[in-house]
Amino acid sequence: MSTHIPDDPGPGDECLLLVHTRQVVGQVRYRICTDCAQGVITAVVIDERFRSTGLGTRALSHLRSRHPGLTWRSTLRKRTTRDLLRRMGIPATTAATPCPHAHGTPSAPAGPILAGG
């Protein structure tokens, strides 16, 4: 399930919710800009019991298929996230905003964090 974060009219935060048996078990927050064909992953949150199941890989693969043609980057720096992103071929970036069309900075997610910025 993917949704645009409310009160953000432009290319702002999006959230891919990870659901298992009608329960949210994680999320991937990201920003996209179709004008620049860029996407930036700003947070990956997965409940601890699902961390070694490949759910992160499946979620990022789903993002790529949902938004074909985008070049993906990430602002995340923790070791577990770097490993996941390296496996997926998603490089790190130092900029919180993917392009001049984006605005603001990503908000911090609540809940158990697998990896954060």
Side-chain angles (χ1 to χ4, degrees):
M1 180 183 316
S2 185
T3 184
H4 184 72
I5 305 297
D7 299 327
D8 199 348
D13 281 354
E14 303 275 339
C15 183
L16 174 67
L17 296 177
L18 311 177
V19 179
H20 177 70
T21 60
R22 299 188 326 198
Q23 180 181 15
V24 175
V25 297
Q27 62 179 282
V28 177
R29 287 186 180 251
Y30 59 99
R31 292 176 168 261
I32 59 171
C33 179
T34 54
D35 292 336
C36 293
Q38 294 185 50
V40 175
I41 297 166
T42 59
V44 177
V45 178
I46 299 176
D47 284 356
E48 189 169 339
R49 62 189 167 134
F50 290 97
R51 289 187 185 169
S52 297
T53 64
L55 184 58
T57 301
R58 289 192 307 269
L60 296 181
S61 293
H62 177 76
L63 271 185
R64 282 184 165 160
S65 68
R66 184 174 174 88
H67 302 285
L70 293 185
T71 300
W72 288 95
R73 303 206 182 293
S74 174
T75 59
L76 305 176
R77 299 279 184 252
K78 290 190 177 178
R79 184 188 55 79
T80 52
T81 306
R82 281 193 322 258
D83 293 346
L84 170 63
L85 297 170
R86 188 177 305 122
R87 283 193 308 271
M88 297 298 296
I90 299 173
T93 184
T94 56
T97 55
C99 68
H101 305 105
H103 59 282
T105 58
S107 57
I113 297 179
L114 168 64

